Amino acid sequence: MLLAAVLAGTAGAGYLYYEHLNDNIRQDALNLGDSKVAAPTPNAAGQTPLNILVIGSDARDSEENQQLGGARETFGSTPLADVQMLVHLSADRSNMSVVSMPRDTLLEIPKCTDPEDGTVYPASEGRVMTNQSLGHGGPGCTVATWQELTGIHIDHFVMVDFAGVVSMADAVGGVPVCVDANIHSRDGEGHGSGLKLEKGTHPVKGEQALQWLRTRYGFEDGSDLARAKAQHMYLNSMVRVLRENATLSSPNRLRRLAEEATEALTVDPALDSVKKLYDLSNELRTVKPERITMTTMPNRYVGARVEPTEDAEQLFRLVREDIALDGKDTKDAKEKPDAEPEPPADPAAPDDELAVQVRNGTRTNELGTAPGRANAIAGLLVERGFTKAVADPSVLPSEDRTVIRYPSADLEGDARRVAKSLGIPASSVKRSTDVSGVTLVVGADWREGTAYREPGSDDSTPESAQALNGADDSACMHVNPGFTWS
């Protein structure tokens, strides 16, 4: 939203300058992993959600980034994805959900391949910190890591460095933030962002805004979890400021900031121009602050690191299913989540001519694959007249809920016929180019038995996600007593 406001102010500069700004924007591949996640099925109005991964890089690859980031010994080293936020815009564009993943999260980074030079980055040996994913070929591997963990289809990424944060924070001007005591983020060994504020609410911009966004030493327990909370407070406050002050002054200042901001950005190829970024901002800015929900991935400590909990999977499911984290989905959507869609244009083939592949996707983070499920359900289908149903033991995906996928419109009727015969809801029939025919994936919700029972849905946001509403202007960061001053 901020970048679009800055870029829109340069419109009078003419076509050549517009092209110059486009040339500033760097781009990289969206997904470097082998596995893909199917895009969500459009709603009745033909709309689909939009998922954007925002990445903050700690790269010390320029004099300015080095000066802002400190740690001179790390100049030119492999950058880390120290900020990772998934921005989910609902299909009807009524609400926005943000999920931050702490940089210390332990997970498995998948194999990633750089499409430019063919370099293969092997999958991590065991679990490592998620911020290392950026060093496995670039932001496309961070996207692949997110998709692997969450099952959420990611449409775009935007990556920004220290200098870009300062430029854009300058463009906004002062954004009010609050601390409950005097703070100076600096310890005896020189660690800390350098942020120094008196108790109360103060506007921050430019380098001071970057300090706020980077502060760990001094906020709460000094962890990345506290830093994520401070980032949420800043971003919510920034959105409120932008909505209250719809225009930015001084065309010359706008052009300078547009120059700096576009030079700091790396995006996927589908966002590689000012126009595309502006069009994206037009969709994002329709959401009012009271329908924005900031969360942190629920986690538990593993030594000094963290790992996702069961509540994290609940949060990921809500995003996958486009359920608003503020609990304010419309009544009609809640009462009729699985309304029967329009009949398919191509009706189903006779049951005994309908080929179905059955895969066992019952593995979860806590439980191994339930043995024999693909064979059992394939046998059930054969008994019910689907004589061409076969188990596919070569693929062992992981699905939270049972799903039936089909690759093209001419097979939609077949897929829905299979779903109806097993009592699987129509909402679990998805079109996907990741399959070559009608494919039933038995999920973790059907680990035993032959009668499918749709699990009861708890669509509430877990308390452990520390949800913060975008309209909440009373939030204030707690200062660690060891970093206060008088």
Side-chain angles (χ1 to χ4, degrees), residues 204-240:
V204 296
K205 64 179 182 178
E207 187 172 348
Q208 192 176 41
L210 176 64
Q211 290 175 337
W212 175 275
L213 294 167
R214 296 187 64 213
T215 294
R216 282 193 303 127
Y217 294 93
F219 284 157
E220 299 187 353
D221 63 356
S223 71
D224 199 51
L225 306 177
R227 175 161 57 184
K229 185 184 295 186
Q231 291 168 351
H232 295 164
M233 290 183 188
Y234 176 89
L235 292 172
N236 279 341
S237 183
M238 183 188 74
V239 170
R240 294 193 297 269

PDB file of all heavy atoms in Angstrom, residues 204-240:
ATOM      1  N   VAL A 204       7.496   7.315  15.059  1.00  0.00           N
ATOM      2  CA  VAL A 204       8.820   6.907  14.578  1.00  0.00           C
ATOM      3  C   VAL A 204       8.790   6.870  13.058  1.00  0.00           C
ATOM      4  O   VAL A 204       7.770   6.558  12.450  1.00  0.00           O
ATOM      5  CB  VAL A 204       9.250   5.532  15.128  1.00  0.00           C
ATOM      6  CG1 VAL A 204       9.413   5.578  16.638  1.00  0.00           C
ATOM      7  CG2 VAL A 204       8.260   4.437  14.742  1.00  0.00           C
ATOM      8  N   LYS A 205       9.910   7.194  12.429  1.00  0.00           N
ATOM      9  CA  LYS A 205      10.020   7.120  10.977  1.00  0.00           C
ATOM     10  C   LYS A 205      11.467   6.852  10.612  1.00  0.00           C
ATOM     11  O   LYS A 205      12.360   6.889  11.471  1.00  0.00           O
ATOM     12  CB  LYS A 205       9.529   8.410  10.335  1.00  0.00           C
ATOM     13  CG  LYS A 205      10.345   9.649  10.667  1.00  0.00           C
ATOM     14  CD  LYS A 205       9.783  10.872   9.945  1.00  0.00           C
ATOM     15  CE  LYS A 205      10.614  12.123  10.233  1.00  0.00           C
ATOM     16  NZ  LYS A 205      10.097  13.297   9.496  1.00  0.00           N
ATOM     17  N   GLY A 206      11.708   6.594   9.328  1.00  0.00           N
ATOM     18  CA  GLY A 206      13.065   6.411   8.836  1.00  0.00           C
ATOM     19  C   GLY A 206      13.843   5.373   9.614  1.00  0.00           C
ATOM     20  O   GLY A 206      13.362   4.270   9.897  1.00  0.00           O
ATOM     21  N   GLU A 207      15.070   5.712   9.983  1.00  0.00           N
ATOM     22  CA  GLU A 207      15.944   4.761  10.661  1.00  0.00           C
ATOM     23  C   GLU A 207      15.392   4.347  12.018  1.00  0.00           C
ATOM     24  O   GLU A 207      15.569   3.204  12.448  1.00  0.00           O
ATOM     25  CB  GLU A 207      17.345   5.367  10.818  1.00  0.00           C
ATOM     26  CG  GLU A 207      18.355   4.376  11.356  1.00  0.00           C
ATOM     27  CD  GLU A 207      19.788   4.907  11.329  1.00  0.00           C
ATOM     28  OE1 GLU A 207      20.020   5.963  10.683  1.00  0.00           O
ATOM     29  OE2 GLU A 207      20.657   4.268  11.942  1.00  0.00           O
ATOM     30  N   GLN A 208      14.704   5.253  12.701  1.00  0.00           N
ATOM     31  CA  GLN A 208      14.137   4.897  13.997  1.00  0.00           C
ATOM     32  C   GLN A 208      13.020   3.850  13.825  1.00  0.00           C
ATOM     33  O   GLN A 208      12.862   2.962  14.673  1.00  0.00           O
ATOM     34  CB  GLN A 208      13.602   6.137  14.711  1.00  0.00           C
ATOM     35  CG  GLN A 208      13.262   5.879  16.179  1.00  0.00           C
ATOM     36  CD  GLN A 208      12.833   7.140  16.896  1.00  0.00           C
ATOM     37  OE1 GLN A 208      12.104   7.967  16.356  1.00  0.00           O
ATOM     38  NE2 GLN A 208      13.289   7.295  18.136  1.00  0.00           N
ATOM     39  N   ALA A 209      12.273   3.936  12.748  1.00  0.00           N
ATOM     40  CA  ALA A 209      11.259   2.917  12.468  1.00  0.00           C
ATOM     41  C   ALA A 209      11.923   1.564  12.233  1.00  0.00           C
ATOM     42  O   ALA A 209      11.435   0.523  12.705  1.00  0.00           O
ATOM     43  CB  ALA A 209      10.420   3.314  11.258  1.00  0.00           C
ATOM     44  N   LEU A 210      13.036   1.551  11.506  1.00  0.00           N
ATOM     45  CA  LEU A 210      13.777   0.302  11.307  1.00  0.00           C
ATOM     46  C   LEU A 210      14.247  -0.253  12.644  1.00  0.00           C
ATOM     47  O   LEU A 210      14.174  -1.466  12.893  1.00  0.00           O
ATOM     48  CB  LEU A 210      14.969   0.542  10.377  1.00  0.00           C
ATOM     49  CG  LEU A 210      15.889  -0.672  10.156  1.00  0.00           C
ATOM     50  CD1 LEU A 210      15.149  -1.797   9.447  1.00  0.00           C
ATOM     51  CD2 LEU A 210      17.140  -0.271   9.365  1.00  0.00           C
ATOM     52  N   GLN A 211      14.727   0.611  13.531  1.00  0.00           N
ATOM     53  CA  GLN A 211      15.147   0.157  14.855  1.00  0.00           C
ATOM     54  C   GLN A 211      13.992  -0.505  15.596  1.00  0.00           C
ATOM     55  O   GLN A 211      14.156  -1.557  16.218  1.00  0.00           O
ATOM     56  CB  GLN A 211      15.687   1.343  15.666  1.00  0.00           C
ATOM     57  CG  GLN A 211      17.011   1.891  15.178  1.00  0.00           C
ATOM     58  CD  GLN A 211      17.427   3.142  15.940  1.00  0.00           C
ATOM     59  OE1 GLN A 211      16.599   3.837  16.516  1.00  0.00           O
ATOM     60  NE2 GLN A 211      18.724   3.418  15.946  1.00  0.00           N
ATOM     61  N   TRP A 212      12.826   0.111  15.533  1.00  0.00           N
ATOM     62  CA  TRP A 212      11.663  -0.473  16.193  1.00  0.00           C
ATOM     63  C   TRP A 212      11.365  -1.870  15.627  1.00  0.00           C
ATOM     64  O   TRP A 212      11.154  -2.826  16.367  1.00  0.00           O
ATOM     65  CB  TRP A 212      10.437   0.429  16.005  1.00  0.00           C
ATOM     66  CG  TRP A 212       9.163  -0.165  16.543  1.00  0.00           C
ATOM     67  CD1 TRP A 212       8.323  -1.027  15.904  1.00  0.00           C
ATOM     68  CD2 TRP A 212       8.598   0.033  17.851  1.00  0.00           C
ATOM     69  NE1 TRP A 212       7.275  -1.371  16.703  1.00  0.00           N
ATOM     70  CE2 TRP A 212       7.418  -0.735  17.911  1.00  0.00           C
ATOM     71  CE3 TRP A 212       8.972   0.785  18.960  1.00  0.00           C
ATOM     72  CZ2 TRP A 212       6.606  -0.777  19.051  1.00  0.00           C
ATOM     73  CZ3 TRP A 212       8.160   0.753  20.087  1.00  0.00           C
ATOM     74  CH2 TRP A 212       7.003  -0.021  20.127  1.00  0.00           C
ATOM     75  N   LEU A 213      11.375  -1.986  14.313  1.00  0.00           N
ATOM     76  CA  LEU A 213      11.035  -3.251  13.665  1.00  0.00           C
ATOM     77  C   LEU A 213      12.075  -4.337  13.927  1.00  0.00           C
ATOM     78  O   LEU A 213      11.760  -5.526  13.841  1.00  0.00           O
ATOM     79  CB  LEU A 213      10.883  -3.031  12.159  1.00  0.00           C
ATOM     80  CG  LEU A 213       9.699  -2.151  11.743  1.00  0.00           C
ATOM     81  CD1 LEU A 213       9.824  -1.748  10.280  1.00  0.00           C
ATOM     82  CD2 LEU A 213       8.378  -2.866  11.981  1.00  0.00           C
ATOM     83  N   ARG A 214      13.316  -3.948  14.258  1.00  0.00           N
ATOM     84  CA  ARG A 214      14.387  -4.924  14.484  1.00  0.00           C
ATOM     85  C   ARG A 214      14.612  -5.249  15.961  1.00  0.00           C
ATOM     86  O   ARG A 214      15.384  -6.157  16.279  1.00  0.00           O
ATOM     87  CB  ARG A 214      15.701  -4.396  13.900  1.00  0.00           C
ATOM     88  CG  ARG A 214      15.705  -4.210  12.395  1.00  0.00           C
ATOM     89  CD  ARG A 214      17.104  -3.858  11.913  1.00  0.00           C
ATOM     90  NE  ARG A 214      18.039  -4.933  12.158  1.00  0.00           N
ATOM     91  CZ  ARG A 214      19.328  -4.774  12.450  1.00  0.00           C
ATOM     92  NH1 ARG A 214      19.837  -3.558  12.563  1.00  0.00           N
ATOM     93  NH2 ARG A 214      20.103  -5.810  12.651  1.00  0.00           N
ATOM     94  N   THR A 215      13.960  -4.534  16.852  1.00  0.00           N
ATOM     95  CA  THR A 215      14.285  -4.666  18.277  1.00  0.00           C
ATOM     96  C   THR A 215      13.869  -6.020  18.841  1.00  0.00           C
ATOM     97  O   THR A 215      12.710  -6.433  18.740  1.00  0.00           O
ATOM     98  CB  THR A 215      13.606  -3.540  19.092  1.00  0.00           C
ATOM     99  OG1 THR A 215      14.177  -2.293  18.704  1.00  0.00           O
ATOM    100  CG2 THR A 215      13.824  -3.748  20.593  1.00  0.00           C
ATOM    101  N   ARG A 216      14.837  -6.711  19.428  1.00  0.00           N
ATOM    102  CA  ARG A 216      14.606  -7.880  20.274  1.00  0.00           C
ATOM    103  C   ARG A 216      15.058  -7.563  21.696  1.00  0.00           C
ATOM    104  O   ARG A 216      14.329  -7.765  22.651  1.00  0.00           O
ATOM    105  CB  ARG A 216      15.380  -9.100  19.764  1.00  0.00           C
ATOM    106  CG  ARG A 216      14.756  -9.791  18.589  1.00  0.00           C
ATOM    107  CD  ARG A 216      15.385 -11.157  18.343  1.00  0.00           C
ATOM    108  NE  ARG A 216      16.830 -11.097  18.141  1.00  0.00           N
ATOM    109  CZ  ARG A 216      17.709 -11.812  18.827  1.00  0.00           C
ATOM    110  NH1 ARG A 216      17.319 -12.621  19.793  1.00  0.00           N
ATOM    111  NH2 ARG A 216      19.000 -11.718  18.558  1.00  0.00           N
ATOM    112  N   TYR A 217      16.296  -7.074  21.803  1.00  0.00           N
ATOM    113  CA  TYR A 217      16.847  -6.749  23.123  1.00  0.00           C
ATOM    114  C   TYR A 217      16.083  -5.559  23.706  1.00  0.00           C
ATOM    115  O   TYR A 217      16.208  -4.440  23.224  1.00  0.00           O
ATOM    116  CB  TYR A 217      18.341  -6.415  23.010  1.00  0.00           C
ATOM    117  CG  TYR A 217      19.195  -7.583  22.582  1.00  0.00           C
ATOM    118  CD1 TYR A 217      19.495  -7.791  21.231  1.00  0.00           C
ATOM    119  CD2 TYR A 217      19.693  -8.485  23.517  1.00  0.00           C
ATOM    120  CE1 TYR A 217      20.273  -8.849  20.827  1.00  0.00           C
ATOM    121  CE2 TYR A 217      20.473  -9.560  23.122  1.00  0.00           C
ATOM    122  CZ  TYR A 217      20.762  -9.741  21.781  1.00  0.00           C
ATOM    123  OH  TYR A 217      21.529 -10.806  21.378  1.00  0.00           O
ATOM    124  N   GLY A 218      15.269  -5.852  24.706  1.00  0.00           N
ATOM    125  CA  GLY A 218      14.527  -4.786  25.358  1.00  0.00           C
ATOM    126  C   GLY A 218      13.026  -4.979  25.350  1.00  0.00           C
ATOM    127  O   GLY A 218      12.324  -4.423  26.196  1.00  0.00           O
ATOM    128  N   PHE A 219      12.504  -5.773  24.409  1.00  0.00           N
ATOM    129  CA  PHE A 219      11.075  -6.047  24.375  1.00  0.00           C
ATOM    130  C   PHE A 219      10.789  -7.394  25.039  1.00  0.00           C
ATOM    131  O   PHE A 219      11.351  -8.426  24.649  1.00  0.00           O
ATOM    132  CB  PHE A 219      10.551  -6.075  22.946  1.00  0.00           C
ATOM    133  CG  PHE A 219      10.381  -4.716  22.306  1.00  0.00           C
ATOM    134  CD1 PHE A 219      10.376  -4.584  20.923  1.00  0.00           C
ATOM    135  CD2 PHE A 219      10.217  -3.576  23.067  1.00  0.00           C
ATOM    136  CE1 PHE A 219      10.213  -3.341  20.324  1.00  0.00           C
ATOM    137  CE2 PHE A 219      10.058  -2.326  22.476  1.00  0.00           C
ATOM    138  CZ  PHE A 219      10.055  -2.209  21.100  1.00  0.00           C
ATOM    139  N   GLU A 220       9.970  -7.391  26.045  1.00  0.00           N
ATOM    140  CA  GLU A 220       9.479  -8.596  26.705  1.00  0.00           C
ATOM    141  C   GLU A 220      10.625  -9.551  27.040  1.00  0.00           C
ATOM    142  O   GLU A 220      11.541  -9.181  27.769  1.00  0.00           O
ATOM    143  CB  GLU A 220       8.376  -9.242  25.862  1.00  0.00           C
ATOM    144  CG  GLU A 220       7.187  -8.304  25.688  1.00  0.00           C
ATOM    145  CD  GLU A 220       6.006  -8.935  25.002  1.00  0.00           C
ATOM    146  OE1 GLU A 220       6.107 -10.078  24.521  1.00  0.00           O
ATOM    147  OE2 GLU A 220       4.947  -8.271  24.959  1.00  0.00           O
ATOM    148  N   ASP A 221      10.608 -10.781  26.495  1.00  0.00           N
ATOM    149  CA  ASP A 221      11.640 -11.763  26.868  1.00  0.00           C
ATOM    150  C   ASP A 221      12.862 -11.705  25.956  1.00  0.00           C
ATOM    151  O   ASP A 221      13.737 -12.561  26.037  1.00  0.00           O
ATOM    152  CB  ASP A 221      11.055 -13.177  26.869  1.00  0.00           C
ATOM    153  CG  ASP A 221      10.560 -13.621  25.492  1.00  0.00           C
ATOM    154  OD1 ASP A 221      10.602 -12.794  24.553  1.00  0.00           O
ATOM    155  OD2 ASP A 221      10.134 -14.777  25.356  1.00  0.00           O
ATOM    156  N   GLY A 222      12.937 -10.714  25.072  1.00  0.00           N
ATOM    157  CA  GLY A 222      14.101 -10.571  24.204  1.00  0.00           C
ATOM    158  C   GLY A 222      14.136 -11.546  23.045  1.00  0.00           C
ATOM    159  O   GLY A 222      15.160 -11.687  22.385  1.00  0.00           O
ATOM    160  N   SER A 223      13.006 -12.197  22.755  1.00  0.00           N
ATOM    161  CA  SER A 223      12.969 -13.208  21.702  1.00  0.00           C
ATOM    162  C   SER A 223      12.422 -12.628  20.402  1.00  0.00           C
ATOM    163  O   SER A 223      11.920 -11.500  20.350  1.00  0.00           O
ATOM    164  CB  SER A 223      12.079 -14.386  22.131  1.00  0.00           C
ATOM    165  OG  SER A 223      10.717 -13.985  22.123  1.00  0.00           O
ATOM    166  N   ASP A 224      12.469 -13.451  19.369  1.00  0.00           N
ATOM    167  CA  ASP A 224      11.902 -13.054  18.086  1.00  0.00           C
ATOM    168  C   ASP A 224      10.386 -12.960  18.159  1.00  0.00           C
ATOM    169  O   ASP A 224       9.760 -12.278  17.350  1.00  0.00           O
ATOM    170  CB  ASP A 224      12.310 -14.074  17.017  1.00  0.00           C
ATOM    171  CG  ASP A 224      12.172 -13.529  15.610  1.00  0.00           C
ATOM    172  OD1 ASP A 224      12.687 -12.431  15.347  1.00  0.00           O
ATOM    173  OD2 ASP A 224      11.531 -14.196  14.777  1.00  0.00           O
ATOM    174  N   LEU A 225       9.785 -13.629  19.141  1.00  0.00           N
ATOM    175  CA  LEU A 225       8.332 -13.557  19.314  1.00  0.00           C
ATOM    176  C   LEU A 225       7.907 -12.151  19.702  1.00  0.00           C
ATOM    177  O   LEU A 225       6.900 -11.627  19.204  1.00  0.00           O
ATOM    178  CB  LEU A 225       7.877 -14.557  20.379  1.00  0.00           C
ATOM    179  CG  LEU A 225       8.311 -16.014  20.170  1.00  0.00           C
ATOM    180  CD1 LEU A 225       7.851 -16.880  21.332  1.00  0.00           C
ATOM    181  CD2 LEU A 225       7.763 -16.553  18.855  1.00  0.00           C
ATOM    182  N   ALA A 226       8.674 -11.535  20.614  1.00  0.00           N
ATOM    183  CA  ALA A 226       8.366 -10.161  21.011  1.00  0.00           C
ATOM    184  C   ALA A 226       8.576  -9.205  19.842  1.00  0.00           C
ATOM    185  O   ALA A 226       7.815  -8.248  19.649  1.00  0.00           O
ATOM    186  CB  ALA A 226       9.245  -9.757  22.195  1.00  0.00           C
ATOM    187  N   ARG A 227       9.605  -9.457  19.052  1.00  0.00           N
ATOM    188  CA  ARG A 227       9.864  -8.598  17.896  1.00  0.00           C
ATOM    189  C   ARG A 227       8.702  -8.663  16.905  1.00  0.00           C
ATOM    190  O   ARG A 227       8.279  -7.631  16.360  1.00  0.00           O
ATOM    191  CB  ARG A 227      11.157  -9.007  17.202  1.00  0.00           C
ATOM    192  CG  ARG A 227      11.406  -8.230  15.916  1.00  0.00           C
ATOM    193  CD  ARG A 227      12.837  -8.264  15.454  1.00  0.00           C
ATOM    194  NE  ARG A 227      13.348  -9.601  15.254  1.00  0.00           N
ATOM    195  CZ  ARG A 227      14.612  -9.860  14.928  1.00  0.00           C
ATOM    196  NH1 ARG A 227      15.472  -8.871  14.799  1.00  0.00           N
ATOM    197  NH2 ARG A 227      15.017 -11.099  14.755  1.00  0.00           N
ATOM    198  N   ALA A 228       8.149  -9.863  16.684  1.00  0.00           N
ATOM    199  CA  ALA A 228       7.006  -9.994  15.771  1.00  0.00           C
ATOM    200  C   ALA A 228       5.815  -9.190  16.281  1.00  0.00           C
ATOM    201  O   ALA A 228       5.104  -8.544  15.498  1.00  0.00           O
ATOM    202  CB  ALA A 228       6.623 -11.473  15.615  1.00  0.00           C
ATOM    203  N   LYS A 229       5.602  -9.209  17.588  1.00  0.00           N
ATOM    204  CA  LYS A 229       4.490  -8.442  18.153  1.00  0.00           C
ATOM    205  C   LYS A 229       4.689  -6.945  17.905  1.00  0.00           C
ATOM    206  O   LYS A 229       3.746  -6.228  17.544  1.00  0.00           O
ATOM    207  CB  LYS A 229       4.377  -8.718  19.654  1.00  0.00           C
ATOM    208  CG  LYS A 229       3.186  -8.061  20.313  1.00  0.00           C
ATOM    209  CD  LYS A 229       3.179  -8.280  21.829  1.00  0.00           C
ATOM    210  CE  LYS A 229       2.994  -9.723  22.183  1.00  0.00           C
ATOM    211  NZ  LYS A 229       2.853  -9.909  23.651  1.00  0.00           N
ATOM    212  N   ALA A 230       5.913  -6.465  18.083  1.00  0.00           N
ATOM    213  CA  ALA A 230       6.202  -5.045  17.842  1.00  0.00           C
ATOM    214  C   ALA A 230       6.001  -4.690  16.370  1.00  0.00           C
ATOM    215  O   ALA A 230       5.519  -3.607  16.032  1.00  0.00           O
ATOM    216  CB  ALA A 230       7.626  -4.719  18.281  1.00  0.00           C
ATOM    217  N   GLN A 231       6.376  -5.603  15.483  1.00  0.00           N
ATOM    218  CA  GLN A 231       6.169  -5.367  14.050  1.00  0.00           C
ATOM    219  C   GLN A 231       4.680  -5.257  13.724  1.00  0.00           C
ATOM    220  O   GLN A 231       4.265  -4.411  12.929  1.00  0.00           O
ATOM    221  CB  GLN A 231       6.820  -6.496  13.245  1.00  0.00           C
ATOM    222  CG  GLN A 231       8.337  -6.465  13.305  1.00  0.00           C
ATOM    223  CD  GLN A 231       8.975  -7.740  12.769  1.00  0.00           C
ATOM    224  OE1 GLN A 231       8.289  -8.722  12.493  1.00  0.00           O
ATOM    225  NE2 GLN A 231      10.297  -7.739  12.672  1.00  0.00           N
ATOM    226  N   HIS A 232       3.868  -6.108  14.345  1.00  0.00           N
ATOM    227  CA  HIS A 232       2.429  -6.055  14.114  1.00  0.00           C
ATOM    228  C   HIS A 232       1.853  -4.719  14.570  1.00  0.00           C
ATOM    229  O   HIS A 232       1.007  -4.125  13.880  1.00  0.00           O
ATOM    230  CB  HIS A 232       1.739  -7.200  14.854  1.00  0.00           C
ATOM    231  CG  HIS A 232       2.113  -8.548  14.348  1.00  0.00           C
ATOM    232  ND1 HIS A 232       1.874  -9.714  15.042  1.00  0.00           N
ATOM    233  CD2 HIS A 232       2.723  -8.933  13.193  1.00  0.00           C
ATOM    234  CE1 HIS A 232       2.311 -10.746  14.342  1.00  0.00           C
ATOM    235  NE2 HIS A 232       2.841 -10.293  13.225  1.00  0.00           N
ATOM    236  N   MET A 233       2.304  -4.246  15.721  1.00  0.00           N
ATOM    237  CA  MET A 233       1.825  -2.958  16.218  1.00  0.00           C
ATOM    238  C   MET A 233       2.171  -1.836  15.245  1.00  0.00           C
ATOM    239  O   MET A 233       1.346  -0.967  14.944  1.00  0.00           O
ATOM    240  CB  MET A 233       2.425  -2.666  17.595  1.00  0.00           C
ATOM    241  CG  MET A 233       1.890  -3.538  18.701  1.00  0.00           C
ATOM    242  SD  MET A 233       2.598  -3.063  20.304  1.00  0.00           S
ATOM    243  CE  MET A 233       1.986  -4.390  21.346  1.00  0.00           C
ATOM    244  N   TYR A 234       3.394  -1.842  14.752  1.00  0.00           N
ATOM    245  CA  TYR A 234       3.823  -0.803  13.811  1.00  0.00           C
ATOM    246  C   TYR A 234       2.999  -0.854  12.532  1.00  0.00           C
ATOM    247  O   TYR A 234       2.531   0.180  12.034  1.00  0.00           O
ATOM    248  CB  TYR A 234       5.306  -0.961  13.491  1.00  0.00           C
ATOM    249  CG  TYR A 234       5.805   0.030  12.453  1.00  0.00           C
ATOM    250  CD1 TYR A 234       6.283   1.280  12.829  1.00  0.00           C
ATOM    251  CD2 TYR A 234       5.783  -0.280  11.095  1.00  0.00           C
ATOM    252  CE1 TYR A 234       6.718   2.198  11.889  1.00  0.00           C
ATOM    253  CE2 TYR A 234       6.211   0.625  10.142  1.00  0.00           C
ATOM    254  CZ  TYR A 234       6.683   1.866  10.539  1.00  0.00           C
ATOM    255  OH  TYR A 234       7.097   2.763   9.598  1.00  0.00           O
ATOM    256  N   LEU A 235       2.834  -2.057  11.964  1.00  0.00           N
ATOM    257  CA  LEU A 235       2.128  -2.175  10.685  1.00  0.00           C
ATOM    258  C   LEU A 235       0.663  -1.769  10.818  1.00  0.00           C
ATOM    259  O   LEU A 235       0.115  -1.097   9.934  1.00  0.00           O
ATOM    260  CB  LEU A 235       2.254  -3.608  10.166  1.00  0.00           C
ATOM    261  CG  LEU A 235       3.667  -4.014   9.734  1.00  0.00           C
ATOM    262  CD1 LEU A 235       3.721  -5.500   9.414  1.00  0.00           C
ATOM    263  CD2 LEU A 235       4.126  -3.195   8.541  1.00  0.00           C
ATOM    264  N   ASN A 236       0.019  -2.178  11.902  1.00  0.00           N
ATOM    265  CA  ASN A 236      -1.368  -1.748  12.121  1.00  0.00           C
ATOM    266  C   ASN A 236      -1.450  -0.225  12.218  1.00  0.00           C
ATOM    267  O   ASN A 236      -2.342   0.407  11.639  1.00  0.00           O
ATOM    268  CB  ASN A 236      -1.922  -2.376  13.400  1.00  0.00           C
ATOM    269  CG  ASN A 236      -2.395  -3.801  13.186  1.00  0.00           C
ATOM    270  OD1 ASN A 236      -2.652  -4.226  12.060  1.00  0.00           O
ATOM    271  ND2 ASN A 236      -2.527  -4.555  14.263  1.00  0.00           N
ATOM    272  N   SER A 237      -0.517   0.360  12.957  1.00  0.00           N
ATOM    273  CA  SER A 237      -0.503   1.810  13.117  1.00  0.00           C
ATOM    274  C   SER A 237      -0.239   2.495  11.784  1.00  0.00           C
ATOM    275  O   SER A 237      -0.857   3.516  11.456  1.00  0.00           O
ATOM    276  CB  SER A 237       0.563   2.201  14.145  1.00  0.00           C
ATOM    277  OG  SER A 237       0.559   3.580  14.389  1.00  0.00           O
ATOM    278  N   MET A 238       0.650   1.918  10.979  1.00  0.00           N
ATOM    279  CA  MET A 238       0.966   2.494   9.672  1.00  0.00           C
ATOM    280  C   MET A 238      -0.265   2.508   8.767  1.00  0.00           C
ATOM    281  O   MET A 238      -0.539   3.488   8.072  1.00  0.00           O
ATOM    282  CB  MET A 238       2.090   1.708   9.001  1.00  0.00           C
ATOM    283  CG  MET A 238       2.532   2.294   7.664  1.00  0.00           C
ATOM    284  SD  MET A 238       3.704   1.238   6.788  1.00  0.00           S
ATOM    285  CE  MET A 238       2.635  -0.064   6.221  1.00  0.00           C
ATOM    286  N   VAL A 239      -1.029   1.405   8.775  1.00  0.00           N
ATOM    287  CA  VAL A 239      -2.237   1.343   7.954  1.00  0.00           C
ATOM    288  C   VAL A 239      -3.219   2.429   8.378  1.00  0.00           C
ATOM    289  O   VAL A 239      -3.824   3.113   7.539  1.00  0.00           O
ATOM    290  CB  VAL A 239      -2.887  -0.055   8.057  1.00  0.00           C
ATOM    291  CG1 VAL A 239      -4.272  -0.050   7.412  1.00  0.00           C
ATOM    292  CG2 VAL A 239      -2.010  -1.094   7.377  1.00  0.00           C
ATOM    293  N   ARG A 240      -3.363   2.613   9.681  1.00  0.00           N
ATOM    294  CA  ARG A 240      -4.288   3.650  10.153  1.00  0.00           C
ATOM    295  C   ARG A 240      -3.820   5.038   9.712  1.00  0.00           C
ATOM    296  O   ARG A 240      -4.626   5.881   9.299  1.00  0.00           O
ATOM    297  CB  ARG A 240      -4.416   3.587  11.683  1.00  0.00           C
ATOM    298  CG  ARG A 240      -5.083   2.311  12.186  1.00  0.00           C
ATOM    299  CD  ARG A 240      -5.480   2.436  13.651  1.00  0.00           C
ATOM    300  NE  ARG A 240      -4.346   2.623  14.538  1.00  0.00           N
ATOM    301  CZ  ARG A 240      -3.683   1.636  15.134  1.00  0.00           C
ATOM    302  NH1 ARG A 240      -4.027   0.371  14.908  1.00  0.00           N
ATOM    303  NH2 ARG A 240      -2.676   1.895  15.941  1.00  0.00           N
TER     304      ARG A 240
END
